[in-house]
Amino acid sequence: MLLVTNMAHNETPGSVRIHTAQGNEWCYNAIEKAARFYDCNRSNAIAFACEAVNRLVRATRAVLERDNLTRSCARRSPSRSRLKGMTFDLETPVTVTPKGDE
């Protein structure tokens, strides 16, 4: 759960709190992992991770939309991954030509 304080209309908030009780303990652990990964404080780690997710999704979409993506690559692609809060669906069009209609 996210709580924003000291915020007027269309302004950046003075502070943001993340509740880590009542089933949200994983939030603190995720933030700590991000801080270690980015080697920075928790606030910057959250911002860096949010930006990274946006870039990751754009890059994944670009790869999955390539015309030359082989079936083998598609099977190993992030479309088969399960990321918390994200899913990637991959549709592979199949054309069947009956023998003799070639």
Side-chain angles (χ1 to χ4, degrees):
M1 173 183 227
L2 181 67
L3 177 65
V4 178
T5 61
N6 301 328
M7 186 168 147
H9 185 64
N10 291 329
E11 288 184 19
T12 303
S15 65
V16 177
R17 295 188 318 173
I18 298 174
H19 294 274
T20 57
Q22 300 173 346
N24 292 317
E25 294 86 0
W26 67 271
C27 293
Y28 181 78
N29 294 330
I31 293 167
E32 286 291 309
K33 287 179 191 175
R36 283 192 301 273
F37 178 79
Y38 290 110
D39 191 27
C40 63
N41 65 42
R42 291 181 199 110
S43 296
N44 286 343
I46 293 168
F48 292 153
C50 290
E51 288 297 320
V53 167
N54 290 323
R55 288 192 305 273
L56 173 66
V57 169
R58 282 194 306 271
T60 301
R61 284 184 178 150
V63 168
L64 294 176
E65 291 171 354
R66 290 179 57 164
D67 291 336
N68 63 349
L69 186 66
T70 66
R71 271 191 223 166
S72 176
C73 288
R75 282 190 210 106
R76 293 188 309 262
S77 74
S79 65
R80 300 178 61 84
S81 300
R82 295 182 190 265
L83 302 172
K84 190 164 190 78
M86 283 189 272
T87 58
F88 295 93
D89 295 320
L90 178 64
E91 295 179 15
T92 306
V94 176
T95 304
V96 176
T97 305
K99 194 169 186 172
D101 289 347
E102 302 166 339

